[in-house]
Amino acid sequence: MDPGALQPKFRGCLVGLALGDALGAPFEGARAVARAEVFAAAERREVLRYTDDTHMAIGVAESLIACRGFNGRHMAETFVRNFEREPWRGYGPGPPRVFRRIKCGTPWDKAAQDVYPGGSFGNGAAMRAAPVGLFYHRDPEKLREVAYLSGQITHAHPLGKEGAALEAYAAALATVFGPSGSSEDFLARLKAFVTEEVYREKLDRVGHLLGTADAAAVAARLGNGIEAFNSVPAAICCFLRHPGSFEDAVVEAASLGGDADTIASMTGAISGAWLGIGGIPEEWAARLENRVYIEELALGLWEAALA
Ligand code: AR6
Ligand code: MG
């Protein structure tokens, strides 16, 4: 693929991730809402502010760019530094505890081991994984390895790390194949990629949800909770139900209720990578907090990934 053609997709992915996060944020922890409510909440706000999902994805991108690839210690220290600057972004309960351990000298790959029994399977590793997918879009096995390792910093449970790999791979596939690729092929590649049964089984259900008009069935059949296996499949499903429209995909994700900001953020990253920055409504992007910096990071990732 022409490297120049990838640049708008890198920009679309990161801007889409942050916008999905910002559009879903008012509905985090809520019941399902109508699409019109999501649009109305976006209209009311002068600045579309993002949360920890984007803040951590920024850290992933900053570290991949600075190190020209994955460096666990550097990425962990970047997370800690960013958290200390903006601890009010709405972080989950686990990561701040992990950050304290890292500050006290626990190695980056050990600090998250026992924050929960067996490590965390929250969606915090998956929500920040799209930059890994961008950076390693040409090499799925390296992508998997780095998604697991970057996830391990805060999410040691295999299901937390697998969620990160699945979201990163979805973003990579969207970067490479959208917007002319087929949804069936996209879903088949994801199924062939995952190693954990719970994800494979949910991806099977995604296939059955593509034809239905009933958005409530997405949350009912796939989940919409904070666990990675109850949110990454829903995010992929919302994208695949509306591959041609960023608005429709992200607004549906934000309307599901539950962990709405994270699901919409993961959907937005995939949809933005698929359609490119030109597929994202400028009216929303213009109001995105730190849009200029987020686009700078996308360009930095693009340069580093193609170097
Ligand atoms: N056993 C039981 N519950 C668990 C386990 C486990 N092994 N692992 C996770 N949980 P955490 P995150 C549940 O704290 O993934 C922000 O709002 C447990 O209820 O690692 O970074 C973002 O926007 C735990 O509190 O944080 C996202 O929505 C929860 O999963 C979200 O937080 C989250 O795991 C990301 O959270
Ligand atoms: Mg959040």
Side-chain angles (χ1 to χ4, degrees), residues 34-176:
R35 282 169 49 91
E37 269 194 62
V38 180
F39 280 108
E43 289 323 302
R44 276 197 296 275
R45 285 178 291 161
E46 218 168 290
V47 178
L48 294 171
R49 284 200 194 286
Y50 57 78
T51 75
D52 60 319
D53 305 57
T54 306
H55 198 217
M56 291 208 82
I58 286 173
V60 171
E62 288 173 337
S63 183
L64 290 173
I65 294 166
C67 302
R68 293 294 191 240
F70 180 69
N71 176 314
R73 184 167 164 191
H74 185 277
M75 192 175 284
E77 287 171 355
T78 304
F79 289 162
V80 172
R81 193 184 60 234
N82 286 353
F83 172 73
E84 287 184 336
R85 285 181 189 156
E86 299 176 0
W88 41 263
R89 288 272 178 200
Y91 280 76
R97 291 166 56 200
V98 175
F99 298 154
R100 278 196 290 279
R101 291 180 183 185
I102 291 169
K103 271 209 90 171
C104 292
T106 308
W108 67 270
D109 55 344
K110 305 278 185 300
Q113 259 163 10
D114 55 0
V115 168
Y116 297 95
S120 175
F121 49 61
N123 54 23
M127 73 190 185
R128 65 177 190 243
V132 172
L134 291 177
F135 196 91
Y136 296 103
H137 68 275
R138 291 186 289 199
D139 185 346
E141 284 317 310
K142 186 72 185 169
L143 177 155
R144 185 198 305 279
E145 180 194 327
V146 173
Y148 286 172
L149 288 171
S150 61
Q152 169 86 26
I153 298 171
T154 50
H155 289 66
H157 197 287
L159 294 178
K161 294 194 280 191
E162 184 74 353
L166 181 56
E167 171 66 11
Y169 190 53
L173 286 179
T175 303
V176 174

Side-chain angles (χ1 to χ4, degrees), residues 65-66 141 200 218 229:
I65 294 166
E141 284 317 310
R200 194 171 300 123
V218 175
F229 46 87

